[in-house]
Amino acid sequence: RVLFRSTASRVCAAGDRSNVLLMGSFAVGLGSAVAWSFLGDPAEHSQFEPAVGYVAGSLVNLGLMQVVKTHAQRPRPFTQNPTYTGADCGTLRDDCWSFFSGHTSNTAFNLFYAASAYDLYGPDTQKPGAAALAYTLAGVGTIAVGSARVAAGWHYWSDVAVGALVG
């Protein structure tokens, strides 16, 4: 077993971890929108209200991120370090703007959407504290993705903080 991995290996692992967590958050967010569209009480909301809310929120989040990144044009941290090229991660670095973190904002949106959908559309007989637990897990997931983005050299802490708030 390797006790210490190279810096490049740790950076790549952090980037991979943030990508996996982001994809998982999409599954949770979209899954909750679809589930509550079909499982929620039709007397309390229209059938597709959860799904429409999810799509609208996703589009606003994505649009805002693209507008801000295009106008802010803050370079990613790895571009400031001449010894790290990122080539060892095997990824295309076509998105050269850092502010704000799209991974973090999308993760925050997806996970907090799922928590709020459970809170709004879930059964009235929820166990005490279940919604609070869902919101707490959403926060933990968002922090995990943001931390991984910083560790991978893709973002500064301010990028992920703003991304979490926007999401």
Side-chain angles (χ1 to χ4, degrees):
R1 186 166 101 133
V2 177
L3 295 177
F4 299 101
R5 290 188 287 173
S6 70
T7 300
S9 177
R10 283 193 310 269
V11 166
C12 291
D16 292 344
R17 190 170 45 254
S18 72
N19 290 335
V20 168
L21 290 170
L22 172 65
M23 292 302 118
S25 79
F26 277 118
V28 169
L30 182 58
S32 71
V34 171
W36 293 119
S37 289
F38 292 102
L39 298 176
D41 185 356
E44 293 183 19
H45 63 83
S46 66
Q47 181 177 5
F48 295 109
E49 181 180 306
V52 169
Y54 176 80
V55 170
S58 292
L59 291 174
V60 168
N61 188 35
L62 179 64
L64 186 59
M65 179 193 60
Q66 291 302 322
V67 167
V68 170
K69 279 190 178 209
T70 301
H71 285 80
Q73 294 189 356
R74 182 181 192 182
R76 293 193 181 273
F78 69 83
T79 65
Q80 307 303 308
N81 183 353
T83 63
Y84 175 65
T85 63
D88 51 330
C89 285
T91 59
L92 294 174
R93 298 194 184 264
D94 54 348
D95 182 5
C96 56
W97 308 127
S98 178
F99 186 79
F100 56 87
S101 172
H103 274 65
T104 307
S105 69
N106 282 307
T107 299
F109 171 76
N110 281 298
L111 296 180
F112 280 99
Y113 176 86
S116 65
Y118 175 76
D119 197 14
L120 291 171
Y121 305 120
D124 291 334
T125 58
Q126 296 174 11
K127 293 182 180 177
L133 177 61
Y135 286 114
T136 300
L137 292 173
V140 169
T142 301
I143 290 168
V145 169
S147 297
R149 299 304 286 170
V150 172
W154 283 89
H155 290 287
Y156 299 99
W157 280 110
S158 57
D159 300 338
V160 299
V162 171
L165 291 173
V166 169

